[in-house]
Amino acid sequence: MGFDAFGLPAENAAIQHAIHPYTWTMSNIDRMRRQLKSMGAMFDWEREAISCLPGYYRWTQWLFLKFYEAGIAYKAFFAGRFLP
């Protein structure tokens, strides 16, 4: 089971609720985890992935850097603007 918790929607919601984005995100993950367990969902919670935790995103960053070093990830200029 995993929770993708990076991005502006989570950050904007935290700002609107005057709470730190990490606190907001982790409390929502805890709530979702409780809801799933209460429905009887059977997941291996010891193998959970949460994308906003350093143990997860450090490998995403590492992989991106390897792609960049190999010339696979790059920034391109197309039709007057940069492409993501």
Side-chain angles (χ1 to χ4, degrees):
M1 171 52 77
F3 298 96
D4 183 20
F6 257 140
L8 285 176
E11 186 172 344
N12 288 335
I15 291 168
Q16 288 175 350
H17 291 88
I19 189 170
H20 192 279
Y22 178 84
T23 305
W24 172 259
T25 299
M26 296 311 289
S27 67
N28 280 314
I29 289 172
D30 286 339
R31 183 178 304 113
M32 287 184 273
R33 194 183 292 122
R34 284 193 311 272
Q35 290 173 343
L36 288 165
K37 288 179 180 180
S38 73
M39 292 186 301
M42 297 173 63
F43 299 105
D44 182 357
W45 294 105
E46 293 183 14
R47 297 173 56 92
E48 181 180 65
I50 301 173
S51 66
C52 67
L53 296 180
Y56 181 93
Y57 69 76
R58 76 180 278 217
W59 295 110
T60 304
Q61 291 172 337
W62 177 84
L63 185 61
F64 176 81
L65 288 174
K66 294 299 175 189
F67 285 160
Y68 182 76
E69 290 165 3
I72 299 169
Y74 56 89
K75 191 172 196 175
F77 192 78
F78 179 75
R81 65 185 188 97
F82 283 103
L83 296 177

